[in-house]
Amino acid sequence: MVIVMAPGASAHEIDALVSVVERAGGTASVSRGVSRTIIGLVGDIERFETLGLLGKPGVADVLRVSVPYKLVSRENHPARSVVRVAGVPIGPGTMTLIAGPCAVETPRQTLAAARMAQQAGASLLRGGAYKPRTSPYAFQGLGEDGLRILADVRETTGMPVVTEVVSAHDVSLVTEYADMLQVGTRNMQNFALLQAVGDCGKPVMLKRGMNATIEEWLMAAEYIAQRGNLDIVLCERGIRTFETATRNTLDVSAVPVAQGLTHLPVIIDPSHSGGQRELVLPLSRAAMAADADGLIIDVHPTPEEALCDGPQALVADDLAELGRAVREFPPLLGRHLTAGASLVA
Amino acid sequence: MVIVMAPGASAHEIDALVSVVERAGGTASVSRGVSRTIIGLVGDIERFETLGLLGKPGVADVLRVSVPYKLVSRENHPARSVVRVAGVPIGPGTMTLIAGPCAVETPRQTLAAARMAQQAGASLLRGGAYKPRTSPYAFQGLGEDGLRILADVRETTGMPVVTEVVSAHDVSLVTEYADMLQVGTRNMQNFALLQAVGDCGKPVMLKRGMNATIEEWLMAAEYIAQRGNLDIVLCERGIRTFETATRNTLDVSAVPVAQGLTHLPVIIDPSHSGGQRELVLPLSRAAMAADADGLIIDVHPTPEEALCDGPQALVADDLAELGRAVREFPPLLGRHLTAGASLVA
Amino acid sequence: MVIVMAPGASAHEIDALVSVVERAGGTASVSRGVSRTIIGLVGDIERFETLGLLGKPGVADVLRVSVPYKLVSRENHPARSVVRVAGVPIGPGTMTLIAGPCAVETPRQTLAAARMAQQAGASLLRGGAYKPRTSPYAFQGLGEDGLRILADVRETTGMPVVTEVVSAHDVSLVTEYADMLQVGTRNMQNFALLQAVGDCGKPVMLKRGMNATIEEWLMAAEYIAQRGNLDIVLCERGIRTFETATRNTLDVSAVPVAQGLTHLPVIIDPSHSGGQRELVLPLSRAAMAADADGLIIDVHPTPEEALCDGPQALVADDLAELGRAVREFPPLLGRHLTAGASLVA
Amino acid sequence: MVIVMAPGASAHEIDALVSVVERAGGTASVSRGVSRTIIGLVGDIERFETLGLLGKPGVADVLRVSVPYKLVSRENHPARSVVRVAGVPIGPGTMTLIAGPCAVETPRQTLAAARMAQQAGASLLRGGAYKPRTSPYAFQGLGEDGLRILADVRETTGMPVVTEVVSAHDVSLVTEYADMLQVGTRNMQNFALLQAVGDCGKPVMLKRGMNATIEEWLMAAEYIAQRGNLDIVLCERGIRTFETATRNTLDVSAVPVAQGLTHLPVIIDPSHSGGQRELVLPLSRAAMAADADGLIIDVHPTPEEALCDGPQALVADDLAELGRAVREFPPLLGRHLTAGASLVA
C-alpha cells in the first residue's frame, strides 16, 4: 500500500501518518521527493484499511495495487498520461518525433542535425553530451560544453532538448540545461541515478535495459515515481537475443504490453534497435503502427564522420520519407504528429 | 557455385556436366528434384569459370553467389518473387491475409472460422490437421479426416488451403489435399521434411525456428530450393528470448532484413508470436507497416472451446478492426490487400 | 493418468480397458510400442481412481503424476535408472565416456579415432554416418557406408556404437547397425522421429534442443517413452544465448536440475557446447563435478582434415589429460569410470 | 596504444608526453588515477612507435595490444595475476572461498553466518550493507550501520570483508570499512561507479552483467584498470537466457574463456546463478573443476527469515559437504584451499 501526500503536506502530517501505521503494527518508508512525498507501507493491509488513511491531513491518495509497480501502474490510474516536455506533449492522441545527433560534436553539426530533425517533423531535439561507452578509450561526449551547444541550438531552433545523464553526480548540472533527462539502457537499474532524476523536477525518458523484462522496466520507473516525479516516458530500444543480423532485436510487442500495464507513454528508438540506417524507416513505421506514443531517431549531417553510431544515423536523403511516414501513419490510429516550433523560429 | 539444369535436362547431360567438373578437380553433388535438377559444385571456383558451364547442353543457369544460401539469395535474383497459391499471389505489390483455425476440429467449426476469415479479408484458409505438440498426450490433430474437412470447406468457400505437415512420411498425403504446405517452427531444421516438401510440387510456407538466426532460416529454405522448388514463403513467428510477458518475441526487423537478403516473400504470424488475442491487432499493423508480404492469423468461432491455442485466436468482434487495418495500411506502402474468393462463392 | 501394460498384454485386454475408461466418461489414447503398450487417459481422474485399473488383466502399472512428463518423471520413479548399451551401463554409480569422430569419414580415420577414444577411457564409440547440416551443400555423412564402417570398427575394438539418426525413414536401417541411436539437437522436437526411435528396440540418446527448456526436453523424452522405450539417456549440449565467445553456452545446471526431475541418466557433450578444443577439458571436468552420468566427446586423428567440426575435436596430445580427469573426478562423487572393452580386444 | 606512467610521474612529464603525441598527429586521453596515470593514445600507431615513448621520463610501460581491453588483457600480461584482499590471495595456485550472508541484517545474524562460513573453509566474509533491489519498496540494506556490523564481525573473526557498493557517491564511505568492494551485476556498466572504485585504492570484485558478453565484462574491468587499479577479481554469476528452471544460467565456460583473455582472477557465484539451495553444491563443484580461482557463496543461519535471497542460502547442514568439496577438488587442478584466519581467532 502506498500513500501519496499532497504537494504541500507538512513534516508534522507525515510524521503523524507514520505513527498511525506503526501503531497498527506496520512499517512506513518515507520517500521525500522534490514535489511530493510518497510513503510505502508494509504490513497487514486489511488492518491498514481500517485506519481511514485517505481522510488524514495532507493525504492526497492511498493506493492499494496488486502489481509490484504501484505509482506507474495502469491498474491504479486507468487513463493514459500525457507528459509535457517544455510544453510539447508525449502521450495518447499525438505521435511525437524526437530526433537529433547521437552525440553532440560541434555547434555546426548539432545545428545542422536539428534542422534535419525539424524538416522531418521533429518537435524535440535529442543529442548526447555524456555518452556511456563500452570502452574507456572511446569518445565520452563533450560534457558541459555539449550541454551549452544544445542550449544554443534550442535558442536558434525553438526545439526543447532531451539529453542523457549517466551519473547521479551530473544530474543537477544536466537539469540546468535540459528539458528532459534521458536514462540510458545500461543505467536502467542504476538505482542512485533513478532516484536522482526522480528528484530533478524535469521529465525523464527511461530506456529499457537491453536485457530487462517489461516488469523490471516498470519497476525502474517506479523508482523515479517514488521520488514524486511521474513525468516519465518509457523508451523501448531493442533487447539482446541470439540474432546477430541486427544489433539488438526491437521488441515491438513491448508497446502494447507496456501500454496495458502502465499509464506512462511508451516510445520507440528504431536507430539503436537495429543499428543500421536501412532499418530505421521500416522499424519507425512498425512502431507507429503498434501505436507507440513517439519515436526517437538519430540523424547526422555527415554520418561517416560521426564520433558515435554513424552507421545508424539517417541522412538528408531519408528525411522526406520519414517526414511522410510520421504524417501518414498516426492518423490511422487516431493520432496526429506533434507540431514542433516553426521552422522559421 | 551452383548449376541449375533446365526442366527437361536429360540424365546424360547431367552426367556429362559432372564429368567435366570432376576432371577439373571438383566434386559435384547432384540433387534431382521433381521439377528441376540442381548441381552443387565444390572446388576451385576460378577453375570452374573457365569451363564454359553456362553454354553446356541442359544448363539453365550457373550461379556464383558469395552467401551460403544461393538459390534463395537476392544477390543472385534481385527482383523480389511472387509465390502463387492456387492463383492467389503472395509477394510485392500485395498484402495477403491467411486466416483460419489453429486446428481443424469439426466441419462446422472450420467452416465458421473460414467465413470469419473471409469477412476480415482473407484470401487463403489456414487450418491444422497435423499438430506438432510438445506433449504426446495433447491433441495431435485429426489427420486425414482434418484434411478432408479442409478440402470440403475450400469447396464451399473457394479459399485455397494452407496446412502443416509434420513428417516427411505424410508429405504425399498432405500434398493431395493442400494448396500450400506449411513447415512449422519446430521442424525448420528437419532436413528430411524440407527435402520432401522440396519435391512435393506445391508451394511451401517455412516458419522460422523460434531459435533460428535469419541466416539459418534462409539455409533451411535453400534445402527446399535445392530440390527444385522455389515457391517458398518465409514466415516470422516470434523468437525465444528472456521476456516472459509474451509467448515469444516478434522479431519485426526480420521482415526488412530477410527481404534484403532473399527474393522470397516474407510474412508474419502475429498470433503465435504474442500468444494473446490483445496483441494480434497491434502486431498485425506493425507487420504491415514493416512491409510484410502477408499475415497468417488464428481465428476461431468459440476460442474458449478450442483444442489448441484458443487464447490467441481472434473472435468475431475483432474482425471488423482487422478488416479495416488490412485495407488501410497496405496502400501506405504501395500495396493492396489480395482479393479473395467472393463471399457468396 | 497413464496405464502401462505388461509386455505380453493382449489386444483384448487393452480393448477391455479402453471400454472401462470410456464408460467412465474418459478418453483413452493407446500407444502400441514394440515392447509395451501405454494408454494415456484424459478425463475425471477422481472417477478413474474408483475403477480398480491396477487390478485389471494385463495392467503392469497405473501412474498418476502431476507433471506433464509422466513415464520419465522421477516423481513416479524415484530411483535413478541405469541404461545399458550392449551391456555398457550409463547411470548412477558410473561415469561413462563416449568418444569418437564427429563424422565417419574413412575406415582408417574411424579406427584411429576409436583407438584414441579407448586410450582415454571410452567404453562406447560415437560416430556420425548421417549428419544434419545447416547447409544442403555441406557434407551430409556417408550414410549406410558409414554405418558399415562403424560396425567393422566395433568388431575390431569391441566398442558398442552410438550413432545419430536424422529421419524417421532411416530408423530401421540405423537400428540394424547401431547399439544406441542418437537424436540430435535440431531434431529434439521432430515428433515423428521420436516416435520411430521409441519403437526401435534400442537405447536412445536424446540431445537437448539448443533452444529447449528442460521441461520441453523431458516432454520430448516422454514421446519416446510413450512408445514403450524407457532406455533413454539425456544429453545436454549447450543452449543458444547472446554470448558469442563460445558456440553455445553449456548449461551445466541442467545436470542437477534434470536429475531431480527425471530418473533417466543425464550426460554432457562438452565438444559441441563450446565448439573449441581448449574448452573440452575444463567443461568435461565441470560436467563430472556436476555429477553427470557420462560424457560424449569428439576425437579425431587429424582434425585439420576433418569434414565436420574439426576445431572442437581432441587430438592425441589431449588424451592423457582427459584420461586422467575421467579417472580422478568420478570417485569424488562416488562414481567410477565405466570399464570398456580391453584395449587388446 | 596505452602509456602506463610510473607511480611518481610528475604533471610535467605527463604534459610533455601529451605534447609529443599531439605533435605526431595523435590525441591523448589522460586518466589520472590515485596510484597511477594512464594515457590512452588514438592515432597512427606506426608513427607513435617511432617516438621512443618507452624511454621518456616517467613512463613505466607502453602497451600495444590488439584487443580493446588493454590493461587487463593477457596478451600484454601473460602471467595470471594474484589479487590480495587484506593479505588473502585470490588467483592461480589457490582456491579462495568467500562466504557470508546476502544481506547484513543484525550483528548476531552476521556473526553466525561468518562462523558458518569459516567452518566451511571461507577466508573472506561477504555481506551486503547496500542492496540493489529491483523494487524501491524492497529492503535496501542497512547502509553504514551494516558496514559497522561487518567491521565488528571482522574484528571478532579475523575475516576480511567484501561488500557491495551501489553508487559512486558511497565509494569513499564503503572504502573506509571494506577490504574489497564489489560492483554488482546491474552496475557492471555504471561507468561512474567503475571509475570511482578504480580510484578507491582497494581491490574490486566485478560481477558480470547478467546480459553482458565476456568482452563487455573485460571492457568494464578496463574502466577500473584505467584509473590505475589493477586489483580486480572477475565474478561470473549467471546470465539471462530463456530457461526458467533456474534463476539465471551459470556460464561455466566463462571461467576458461575469461582466463584465456585476461590475467585477472575469475571466480564464480553459484548462489545467485541458480537461485536454489540444491544447486549451490553441484555448481560449486563444477566451478572448481572448471579451474575457477574462487567461489562466493550465500550462507544464512536462518534463511527462512532472510530479508534477501533466503531460498539460495546454504544452511548449517550443507556446510560439511561444502567443506569437503572445497578441500577435495582444488588439489586435482594443482590448487589448494586458501587458508583463512584461525577459527579460534
Side-chain angles (χ1 to χ4, degrees), chain D residues 46-59:
Chain D
E46 311 292 321
R47 183 75 199 285
F48 296 157
E49 299 218 316
T50 67
L51 301 175
L53 296 171
L54 189 51
K56 303 277 184 212
V59 172

Side-chain angles (χ1 to χ4, degrees), chain B residues 31 66 82 93 147 178 183 201 217 222-223 343:
Chain B
S31 167
S66 62
V82 174
L147 296 175
V183 174
W217 189 22
E222 187 80 7
Y223 262 92
L343 281 174

Side-chain angles (χ1 to χ4, degrees), chain A residues 24 31 47 59 72 79 117 122 130 151 160 181 202 253 263 277 295 323 333:
Chain A
S31 167
R47 183 76 198 283
V59 172
V72 308
Y130 295 87
L181 279 70
K202 290 268 175 82
S253 314
H263 56 90
R277 180 172 312 135
L295 292 172
L333 291 139

Side-chain angles (χ1 to χ4, degrees), chain B residues 154-335:
Chain B
R154 171 176 53 201
E155 192 76 10
T156 310
T157 62
M159 299 176 84
V161 164
V162 181
T163 197
E164 181 163 359
V165 57
V166 298
S167 157
H169 178 264
D170 302 326
V171 168
S172 60
L173 179 68
V174 176
T175 304
E176 282 178 43
Y177 290 92
D179 298 291
M180 177 180 229
L181 279 71
Q182 175 183 318
V183 174
T185 185
R186 291 177 181 77
N187 279 314
M188 193 202 84
Q189 292 194 320
N190 179 337
F191 300 117
L193 179 58
L194 295 176
Q195 289 173 328
V197 298
D199 281 338
C200 80
K202 290 265 174 83
V204 176
M205 177 189 301
L206 178 64
K207 288 202 156 184
R208 179 178 179 186
M210 69 183 78
N211 72 314
T213 62
I214 292 171
E215 179 167 312
E216 289 170 334
W217 189 22
L218 297 181
M219 290 307 297
E222 187 80 7
Y223 262 92
I224 302 171
Q226 201 222 11
R227 306 298 297 180
N229 187 351
L230 279 161
D231 290 331
I232 307 166
V233 171
L234 300 170
C235 178
E236 155 69 26
R237 48 76 67 212
I239 59 173
R240 187 162 267 188
T241 70
F242 59 80
E243 178 58 70
T244 53
T246 43
R247 187 157 74 167
N248 291 117
T249 298
L250 177 67
D251 181 6
V252 74
S253 315
V255 174
V257 170
Q259 285 176 346
L261 296 171
T262 178
H263 56 90
L264 301 175
V266 182
I267 71 170
I268 273 190
D269 177 343
S271 303
H272 287 78
S273 309
Q276 299 164 42
R277 180 171 311 135
E278 295 67 29
L279 296 178
V280 175
L281 266 156
L283 295 184
S284 295
R285 291 189 191 107
M288 290 188 284
D291 212 17
D293 297 293
L295 293 172
I296 179 165
I297 291 179
D298 283 13
V299 298
H300 198 287
T302 52
E304 63 287 359
E305 296 170 12
L307 295 178
C308 171
D309 285 338
Q312 76 198 24
L314 289 192
V315 294
D317 290 353
D318 307 313
L319 296 182
E321 219 175 333
L322 175 63
R324 195 168 58 242
V326 297
R327 283 167 181 89
E328 287 181 354
F329 278 81
L332 295 190
L333 292 139
R335 295 179 184 266

Side-chain angles (χ1 to χ4, degrees), chain A residues 137-270:
Chain A
Y137 307 114
F139 174 64
Q140 310 271 328
L142 297 182
E144 190 168 3
D145 287 348
L147 295 174
R148 275 191 216 102
I149 292 173
L150 286 167
D152 289 348
V153 172
R154 172 176 53 201
E155 193 76 9
T156 310
T157 62
M159 299 175 85
V161 163
V162 181
T163 196
E164 182 163 0
V165 58
V166 297
S167 158
H169 178 264
D170 302 327
V171 166
S172 61
L173 180 66
V174 175
T175 304
E176 282 178 43
Y177 290 92
D179 298 291
M180 178 180 229
L181 279 70
Q182 176 182 319
V183 174
T185 185
R186 290 176 182 78
N187 280 315
M188 192 201 84
Q189 292 193 321
N190 180 337
F191 300 117
L193 178 58
L194 295 176
Q195 289 172 329
V197 299
D199 281 337
C200 80
K202 290 268 175 82
V204 176
M205 178 189 302
L206 177 65
K207 288 202 157 185
R208 180 179 178 185
M210 70 183 77
N211 73 314
T213 62
I214 292 170
E215 180 168 311
E216 289 170 335
W217 189 21
L218 297 181
M219 291 306 298
E222 187 79 8
Y223 261 93
I224 301 171
Q226 201 222 10
R227 306 298 296 179
N229 186 350
L230 278 160
D231 290 330
I232 306 165
V233 171
L234 300 170
C235 179
E236 154 69 26
R237 48 76 67 214
I239 58 173
R240 188 161 267 190
T241 70
F242 60 79
E243 177 59 70
T244 53
T246 43
R247 187 156 75 167
N248 290 119
T249 297
L250 177 67
D251 181 7
V252 75
S253 314
V255 174
V257 171
Q259 286 175 345
L261 296 171
T262 179
H263 56 90
L264 301 175
V266 182
I267 71 170
I268 274 190
D269 177 343

